[in-house]
Amino acid sequence: MKVSQRTVRLELTEPLRISRSTMAARDAIWLAVEHQGMRGYGEAVTSTYYGLDAARLGRLLHEAGRELARCATPESALDALSAGELPSPGTPPAVTAAVESALLDLVGKRAGVPVHRLLGAPEAPHAATARTIGITSYRAAAEQARRLTRRGFSVLKIKAGAPDPEDDLDRVLAVRNAAPHARLLLDPNGAWSPALADSLLPRYAGLGVEAVEQPLAPGDPEALAALAERSPLPVIADEDAVGFEDARRLAGRVHGINVKLAKCGGVTAALRIADLLAGSGTALMLGCLTASTLGLAPAVHLADRARWTDLDGHLLLAHDPWTGIGGTDGTVRAGREPGLGVRPVDGAAPPGEEPAGRETAGRQAPVPGRDGEAAQ
């Protein structure tokens, strides 16, 4: 097998402010695995929170590519990954998820079936996705809510954690008034203390918020579980639930766990967590990082397994260099074509293909280490 990669810049339509940072763009590395003339693709994106810059991601994906090159077929490589034999111990989950995505895409193409059928789902999953509204003025939030609901969005996720908690409440009230029939989720990204959460959650319940995601600073899952027990709103763990062991500690003690493939390690890891949560009283939420359609696609093939679906990362981009999962009308849909069912849009060149001139969306960024062929 031959493995190649390319680094591109993903720019957001507008900066997204959350409690701990503001993001206007991020780098993505596209991975291609080629065997007998067919290619499968995956994507990993940079994350300051998880300590992954483009240079480190590029090195790690190059190392993973060398391991893949030792496998005889994509199918055997996927089996080894599912068994935990690939990639090397200590590889960040985001890298494992990107490698698995490329293998699933390629194995599905070789078998002539979409990824969801490889995973046991006969029908293409689809789900109403939440659409994120960042920390902004209440007037801007209200206008976003009106625009989004007119386009078909029925679930809105509002970021919280402003220095003045009353600003957050004003924003949620404005969204509620602008979109009275929308389901509302709240995400402070760990900005609150237990005392502040106790004072705020009843007020958000009165505004019809459906659930709150990671209200407390991560690092104390016992405090989060205790808050969930007394909260008037369902509490969903995110930053406190990175992988399987975190989910095991919180299963049955919080109302939901936000599973992101880049956080837990990919589709196989997400399915293990979903099986763990089944019957525990803790529901599955599928989340994402801001990424292209290529990065979101594997999770969309799991969308029928989640109570809450928050797969809007590609919708925040000024230009998405891939297409195939929809979402602009509020619903994401798994592709029915073999593999992930996604394809690059005009002007976007996946690894192993020559760019058709300068890319303006999904622009090529300086590539760490080796661009192009990484392993033979």
Side-chain angles (χ1 to χ4, degrees), residues 315-331:
L315 302 176
L316 305 180
L317 301 180
H319 181 78
D320 184 356
W322 294 76
T323 187
I325 60 173
T328 56
D329 62 352
T331 299

Side-chain angles (χ1 to χ4, degrees), residues 49 131 135 147 150 202 227 246 258 261 281 283 304 318 323 348 357 369:
Y49 184 80
R131 181 65 158 78
I135 296 177
R147 183 172 66 251
R150 283 197 298 264
L227 177 65
D246 296 328
N258 186 344
L261 302 192
D304 56 345
T323 187

Side-chain angles (χ1 to χ4, degrees), residues 112-315:
V113 299
V115 163
H116 59 266
R117 287 186 55 189
L118 293 179
L119 304 176
E123 300 297 328
H126 65 278
T129 181
R131 181 65 158 78
T132 300
I133 297 176
I135 296 177
T136 185
S137 71
Y138 70 88
R139 291 186 180 88
E143 178 53 37
Q144 287 184 54
R146 281 189 286 268
R147 183 172 66 251
L148 291 169
T149 52
R150 283 197 298 264
R151 286 165 48 187
F153 286 88
S154 59
V155 187
L156 302 176
K157 184 166 95 167
I158 308 163
K159 292 291 187 177
D164 184 352
E166 295 299 323
D167 289 344
D168 292 332
L169 284 157
D170 287 344
R171 186 179 318 106
V172 173
L173 177 60
V175 169
R176 169 52 73 213
N177 289 336
H181 303 297
R183 297 166 55 197
L184 301 185
L185 305 175
L186 189 71
D187 185 9
N189 286 107
W192 297 346
S193 66
L196 184 58
D198 285 335
S199 68
L200 291 176
L201 289 176
R203 299 176 70 182
Y204 283 113
L207 292 175
V209 171
E210 181 174 317
V212 60
E213 191 177 337
Q214 193 66 43
L216 304 183
D220 190 351
E222 292 299 317
L224 190 69
L227 177 65
E229 187 173 2
R230 63 181 185 268
S231 172
L233 290 177
V235 171
I236 302 168
D238 182 1
E239 287 90 341
D240 267 328
V242 176
F244 182 85
E245 288 304 315
D246 296 328
R248 183 182 60 79
R249 282 189 288 269
L250 287 170
R253 306 180 66 203
V254 293
H255 303 92
I257 287 179
N258 186 344
V259 172
K260 299 174 182 174
L261 302 192
K263 182 176 69 170
C264 72
V267 167
T268 300
L271 289 174
R272 287 186 67 216
I273 294 174
D275 288 343
L276 168 74
L277 297 183
S280 71
T282 297
L284 177 69
M285 179 179 189
L286 276 175
C288 66
L289 302 181
T290 302
S292 77
T293 280
L294 174 60
L296 272 289
V300 176
H301 284 272
L302 303 177
D304 56 345
R305 293 167 164 85
R307 174 178 173 182
W308 297 286
T309 302
D310 181 23
L311 299 177
D312 69 336
H314 62 306
L315 302 176

